[in-house]
Amino acid sequence: RCTDTLYKWQLESNTGPQFILHDGPPYANGELHVGHFMNKVLKDIVNRYQVMQGKRVLYIPGFDTHGLPIEQKALATLRGRDKDSLNPMEIRKLARNFALKAVASQTKSFKEYAVMGDWSNRYLTLDPEYEASQLEVFKEMVVRGYIYRQNKPVYWSPSSRTALAEAELEYNANHVSTSVYVKMPLTDESCQRLGSSTAVEALIWTTTPWTLPANCAIAVHRDLDYVLVRVSQENTPDYQLLVGQDRLAAIAELLPKGSTTCVVHTLKGSDLEGLTYTSVLRSKVCKILLADYVTSDSGTGLVHTAPGHGKEDYELGLDHGIDVYSPVNDCGQFTNQAGAALEGKEVLGEGNAAVIEMLTATNALLFKADFTHSYPYDWRTNKPIILRATPQWFADVKDLKNAACASLKHVNVVPESGRRRLESFVRGRSEWCISRQRVWGVPIPVLYNAQSGEPLLTAESIDHIIGVIRANGGTDAWWTLPVEAFVHPRYCANGETYVKGTDTMDVWFDSGTSWKLLEKRADRGEQGAFADLYLEGSDQHRGWFQSSLLTSNAVRGVAPYKALVTHGFTLDEQGRKMAKSIGNTLAPSQVIDGGKNKATEPAYGVDLLRLVVGSTDYTQDVSFGPTIFASFGDTIRKIRSTVRFMLGNLDGFTPEMAVPYEQLPGIDRYMLHELYHFKKAATAAFDRFEFFRATQALNHFTNTTLSAFYFDVCKDRLYASSPSSLERRSAQTVLRHILINYTTTLAPVTCHLAEETWEFSKALRGEFGPEVFSVFQEQWDQTNDAWHNPELAEDWAALRRIRGLANRAIEAARKTKVIGSSLEAELDIYVPLESRLGRLLRSHEGDLSQVCITSRASVHELDVDGASVADGAFEQTDVVAAFGSETKATIVCRRSPLCKCPRCWNFHSSAADALCGRCDDVMSSVSTPPQQQQ
């Protein structure tokens, strides 16, 4: 009722503007955890609030269904079978079935979380039309010159056997590498240029010894100082090293004990340009080059350069015409180009050790040590990656990132720090590797000339390929149809033959083009493809937020979203990030349905978990755990008891019985003022996406304004006054207004509790909709501007301070057992009667016993000597801050001399067990037949 039916109703019946929250597709590769719950519920809170604002919400849930994790999990189900023997279509069929099964399971769970959306028309990145739309975006980027192919270093995962984008990396701060200091001998000619008649060795440092077989140059900085140093030690011939002057002291510490150093010559880095040396593991003569990125902060001041294994190395090599050389295969093993001694060895394992052994054997190794540092890992396999040159397809970000960052200026980012984070990620990259070496994905629609290997990639060729894919039910056709089907007729006549490319697109390109579907599903005309909101976790600054921003700017020149909201990660109660490796992950079903032992793991239901999400500052990391759930269990019980109190006291009340605002007593008008400001505070919080502030306002209103004050004060009227009396109907009038606005405020967060409340309040709705089937069909704010009364609020703030002082006197009497209930007490209140506070108390003297919940309260002039306190009385004196000044007040509490009325419990009766005058009149009216009353 409040999900599928409501979603359809609001699209058809709401008359406000359309509101689009575009769903970032969760990965369809397994069961959901509490992080998924938080993400979807935050979105649902936004959507439900917008529905109650009268807007037509467009929320199409999506699922990311391609990529390596799904492929790997699908293959893992083939126990005992040779996975390498499967053909591409067998792998794709397995992956598709696995993804669709995960989508069905996740959809069922999201519905159980009461997430409202267009579930029957959800989008999947494997849908044929979605794939075709994605390829159209790719074509536009080709036409605009953003797509290119190049053989250059990329992040490569040996464990996944594919290239990775920056967004697919995680950094392990405790990774341990073996760092080595290696001597590279200068050629005789270069030694002569330095004025040395003996051998000189350039000392380089690296934490990746396995890249030394690919060494092609040494880089130095033109402005740094370098020294030629003679090293002497016993029983060993002297030798000369070339090192950075600022690094000499640190290097001297690494030399064998007893070694001495002597600076022979000092040079600038510019003096070293063009010197040649022999790369020790390649036996190839290479050059020393100048590079601005060289520093003297670490190492030796001379930087080992391998253009096939480093991005700066590659750029330097490109400037100097050095070929890209990378003797490493897809599995992360040395190829035969590295030599027979290394061939087949894993570069991150035995290959690295073998390189160090070879350096030792040739006396090229000066020193080695373990080095702990931050190192990139494949975020899916949690294993280290390498930089490796391979031919890949890239999106050029260099010319795009400035425009992308500029478009963010028009986006509302919550929290604001997210803008800086996203901009830093965008500005920190110059390219985006979009090709992957897997079969489960959208193919890059490129054909290669069978003879020359040149790619055929034009708007015309891509359009033809898209047409074939559409006509044949999706991208499976790329693997099932012959290459001839994909060659545009124009290129068939040239006598050339072609082969299909085997790369698929990065899944961030898949999801990053999802804004395209809004063009067809929104009803905003040209504005349709722009979402009002993207809301995801902070990891998406590197992922979906960024890929969507880049593709949208590349094709349309604008950001795809008007607002961007980011939430943190989920933590356990110890503040640790939830992770399977730690064993502290939490499935929402454990909280909703409870564990096996209901005594220790009770079933809290969906609303409690939604309340946790809606009550927490989600812009920070959010903790979940048993203690937190127990605490929120108390909170939701308090809310339910508050609703129950109002519903119970409104039994039999109808809107026609309401008392006009002008006739309400001051306390009731004051409560409507408080309700007005509570609702305005909640509205402002929801508008700023600060749901936790709205629930904080609701909890404060519940505990401080209602439970601790108004409910306490109006119980006497509700329980003891005549059902038709003005004072009782006045209280009920206010309770009805509170219940309506209280319930609508609850609704976006605890939707089931709000619906349940609404079900029990049909008779109370009146003009607000007695026939509606859901609270979400109600108007969000049903307060009235006339209720805003600051002067009245100031008066009642002063009266509540007097109530606080009275409670202290009553509590003193109660502690000595002079009284039990506060109704046994009567109060004498002493203040300067000519003060503003005194005049206020005199004007409300008839209300004070109700406000203080005593049987009598009288106001008196405060003498200079204070009040006289008789035996058995208790006095409290304090300064009351009110109306911009401070006024002395004394309250004297004593036991009432009258008797307790058995009906209302007030001490107003003249004899024991006798009704007081009010109750006698009420009972007489109730027992008198209606005809006699007339």
Side-chain angles (χ1 to χ4, degrees), residues 173-308:
N174 298 312
H175 180 84
V176 179
S177 298
T178 301
S179 68
V180 293
Y181 290 78
V182 178
K183 297 177 288 185
M184 296 284 192
L186 269 58
T187 60
D188 292 343
E189 181 183 357
S190 293
C191 291
Q192 291 172 8
R193 277 186 54 186
L194 292 179
S196 176
S197 58
T198 57
V200 177
E201 295 169 303
L203 188 65
I204 60 98
W205 173 77
T206 181
T207 59
T208 54
W210 61 269
T211 61
L212 288 169
N215 173 266
C216 295
I218 292 175
V220 297
H221 195 287
R222 68 169 58 249
D223 296 326
L224 288 180
D225 291 322
Y226 292 84
V227 291
L228 192 60
V229 178
R230 181 182 298 110
V231 180
S232 303
Q233 58 189 86
E234 290 185 14
N235 304 319
T236 303
D238 291 355
Y239 59 95
Q240 294 186 106
L241 296 178
L242 179 64
V243 299
Q245 186 179 50
D246 291 343
R247 302 304 304 162
L248 177 57
I251 293 168
E253 294 292 325
L254 307 178
L255 298 173
K257 189 175 181 181
S259 299
T260 60
T261 59
C262 176
V263 174
V264 176
H265 193 25
T266 301
L267 313 96
K268 283 290 185 184
S270 55
D271 297 328
L272 306 178
E273 183 181 13
L275 295 182
T276 55
Y277 69 96
T278 301
S279 184
V280 291
L281 294 182
R282 296 187 67 192
S283 299
K284 181 177 180 178
V285 175
C286 303
K287 286 186 177 181
I288 295 179
L289 307 174
L290 300 180
D292 291 336
Y293 57 79
V294 178
T295 71
S296 59
D297 296 336
S298 61
T300 68
L302 293 93
V303 178
H304 152 58
T305 300

Side-chain angles (χ1 to χ4, degrees), residues 744-767:
T744 55
T745 306
L746 277 173
V749 180
T750 55
C751 53
H752 294 119
L753 176 54
E755 290 285 19
E756 184 183 2
T757 302
W758 214 240
E759 187 68 29
F760 282 99
S761 59
K762 285 183 178 179
L764 303 171
R765 300 177 202 163
E767 71 270 24

Side-chain angles (χ1 to χ4, degrees), residues 9 78 99 101 164 178 211 265 267 339 353 384 440 458 487 516 561 684 689 776 833 836 838 857:
W9 173 87
L78 298 177
K101 184 177 179 181
L164 300 177
T178 301
T211 61
H265 193 25
L267 313 96
W440 179 232
T458 65
V487 181
K516 183 76 173 173
Y561 31 70
F689 305 107
F776 293 97
L833 294 181
R836 185 172 175 184

Side-chain angles (χ1 to χ4, degrees), residues 331-463:
C331 299
Q333 300 167 338
F334 282 118
T335 66
N336 58 6
Q337 289 179 300
L342 295 175
E343 184 180 2
K345 290 181 169 61
E346 293 184 358
V347 298
L348 293 177
E350 59 176 344
N352 200 54
V355 166
I356 295 173
E357 289 176 5
M358 294 171 69
L359 293 172
T360 304
T362 57
N363 198 34
L365 182 67
L366 178 74
F367 185 80
K368 70 172 182 175
D370 287 342
F371 182 72
T372 302
H373 60 134
S374 180
Y375 191 87
Y377 276 52
D378 182 334
W379 73 341
R380 296 188 179 97
T381 63
N382 198 33
K383 293 183 179 179
I385 60 95
I386 61 175
L387 276 165
R388 169 185 177 239
T390 60
Q392 300 289 339
W393 288 95
F394 297 88
D396 185 3
V397 180
K398 187 182 300 182
D399 297 328
L400 183 59
K401 57 187 177 184
N402 288 337
C405 290
S407 70
L408 287 175
K409 294 178 181 178
H410 308 291
V411 177
N412 175 26
V413 182
V414 178
E416 181 60 29
S417 59
R419 185 191 311 277
R420 296 188 296 272
R421 179 175 165 85
L422 178 54
E423 285 185 355
S424 69
F425 281 125
V426 172
R427 293 191 185 280
R429 69 190 305 183
S430 58
E431 61 193 21
W432 171 12
C433 180
I434 62 170
S435 52
R436 296 293 181 271
Q437 289 63 55
R438 311 303 299 182
V439 299
W440 179 232
V442 175
I444 292 181
V446 61
L447 304 172
Y448 295 96
N449 187 295
Q451 285 73 42
S452 67
E454 284 298 308
L456 174 61
L457 191 70
T458 65
E460 193 175 37
S461 70
I462 298 172
D463 270 337

Side-chain angles (χ1 to χ4, degrees), residues 102 112 123 140 163 198 203 228 249 285 343 347 370 417 438 464 482 549 561 563 582 628 632 677 681 715 914-915 927:
E112 290 171 354
Y123 77 90
E140 288 299 319
T198 57
L203 188 65
L228 192 60
V285 175
E343 184 180 2
V347 298
D370 287 342
S417 59
R438 311 303 299 182
H464 179 74
L549 180 68
Y561 31 70
I582 301 176
I628 293 168
F632 275 95
H677 283 276
K715 281 178 184 176
L915 293 177
S927 59

